[in-house]
Amino acid sequence: MTERPYPAPPAMSDDERIARARAACERLASRRTCRAFVDRPVPREVIEHAIAAAGTAPSGANHQPWHFAAVSSPEAKRAIRLAAEEEERAFYAERASEEWLAALAPLGTDHDKPFLEIAPWLIVCFAQRKGGIEEDGEASNYYVTESVGLACGMLLATLHEAGLATLTHTPSPMGFLREICGRPSHEKPLMIVVAGHPAPDATVPEHALRKKSLETIASWI
Ligand code: IYR
């Protein structure tokens, strides 16, 4: 094993640390899931930086078990929309339990997914069940869902920082994304991150603004 010194963090006082933590929290807390986009383009370079940021996430054995297919072609976006809406139609009409539908009611979602065609970018996030750091297609990967979840969080945070609206979309089931994006069978699509500019009349359901308090989500032991 060869090692290098840990990179020195920037020097700052504890007061500065608190202020920066508060500022970072405020920035991230201002992100809202957006379900209505406009077709205004977003430069590919923004998406490249966001994916590169996601690629720095910690992962099991540093195997980086992710692949991000950045989709902007109208044909591919249309194919994704049509396939997703077909699955979603079945989901809302028959597959989802009554309890699940009741939980979704305050969000107002349905099978109609126009944003999949309107937004300039769909980033399809794949989890690699195997492949290792060399992507040899053989070596085991570890903590795959956790690792890709972390990478997706960093992807969302970077897109937000770049002033874009985002939506995590999880059509169910989503095997069709593998075919459309030309990905191998050991990769499992986890989510689509939709990125673009919000429609001027985009709204946010009140339900989405109900965040649990720090007292509820944290304990100090
Ligand atoms: N995939 C469906 C349903 C859906 C499920 C959950 I859990 C959500 O938080 C939102 C939607 C859809 O995208 O409509």
Side-chain angles (χ1 to χ4, degrees), residues 28-81:
L28 283 172
S30 71
R31 188 201 55 81
R32 298 268 79 82
T33 286
C34 178
R35 291 193 169 79
F37 292 80
V38 287
D39 62 5
R40 183 175 153 200
V42 166
R44 171 176 160 153
E45 215 177 332
V46 176
I47 307 302
E48 285 176 358
H49 285 304
I51 294 175
T56 67
S59 63
N62 195 29
H63 282 192
Q64 303 153 62
W66 42 64
H67 180 87
F68 301 93
V71 178
S72 62
S73 97
E75 298 74 30
K77 288 194 297 180
R78 177 149 190 83
I80 290 173
R81 176 184 180 179

Side-chain angles (χ1 to χ4, degrees), residues 35 88 91-92 100 104 107 109-110 113 169-172:
R35 291 193 169 79
E88 295 291 319
F91 172 84
Y92 283 96
W100 196 343
L104 290 178
L107 293 174
T109 54
D110 61 21
K113 305 296 179 194
H169 177 49
T170 50
S172 156

Side-chain angles (χ1 to χ4, degrees), residues 24-219:
C25 171
E26 280 168 7
R27 290 172 86 97
L28 283 172
S30 71
R31 188 201 55 81
R32 298 268 79 82
T33 286
C34 178
R35 291 193 169 79
F37 292 80
V38 287
D39 62 5
R40 183 175 153 200
V42 166
R44 171 176 160 153
E45 215 177 332
V46 176
I47 307 302
E48 285 176 358
H49 285 304
I51 294 175
T56 67
S59 63
N62 195 29
H63 282 192
Q64 303 153 62
W66 42 64
H67 180 87
F68 301 93
V71 178
S72 62
S73 97
E75 298 74 30
K77 288 194 297 180
R78 177 149 190 83
I80 290 173
R81 176 184 180 179
L82 292 178
E85 286 184 338
E86 198 178 317
E87 298 293 5
E88 295 291 319
R89 213 170 274 116
F91 172 84
Y92 283 96
E94 44 200 83
R95 284 196 207 122
S97 65
E98 286 304 316
E99 186 185 357
W100 196 343
L101 290 177
L104 290 178
L107 293 174
T109 54
D110 61 21
H111 68 267
D112 201 21
K113 305 296 179 194
F115 52 77
L116 291 175
E117 255 187 295
I118 297 170
W121 291 101
L122 308 179
I123 307 171
V124 187
C125 308
F126 291 90
Q128 300 175 326
R129 282 186 268 248
K130 53 185 186 166
I133 195 163
E134 305 292 352
E135 301 231 3
D136 61 8
E138 288 304 323
S140 291
N141 286 337
Y142 308 97
Y143 300 103
V144 172
T145 311
E146 292 85 343
S147 303
V148 186
L150 287 163
C152 289
M154 292 170 65
L155 178 67
L156 283 182
T158 310
L159 293 167
H160 176 61
E161 197 64 22
L164 293 179
T166 51
L167 165 66
T168 49
H169 177 49
T170 50
S172 156
M174 47 185 145
F176 67 88
L177 291 167
R178 203 184 288 120
E179 279 112 74
I180 295 174
C181 299
R183 300 307 302 169
S185 60
H186 67 275
E187 290 188 3
K188 178 178 164 350
L190 269 201
M191 69 182 77
I192 304 173
V193 172
V194 182
H197 294 284
D201 59 352
T203 58
V204 175
E206 289 283 344
H207 178 77
L209 302 173
R210 285 184 53 196
K211 297 300 180 197
K212 293 182 183 178
S213 67
L214 180 63
E215 288 67 36
T216 308
I217 65 168
S219 49

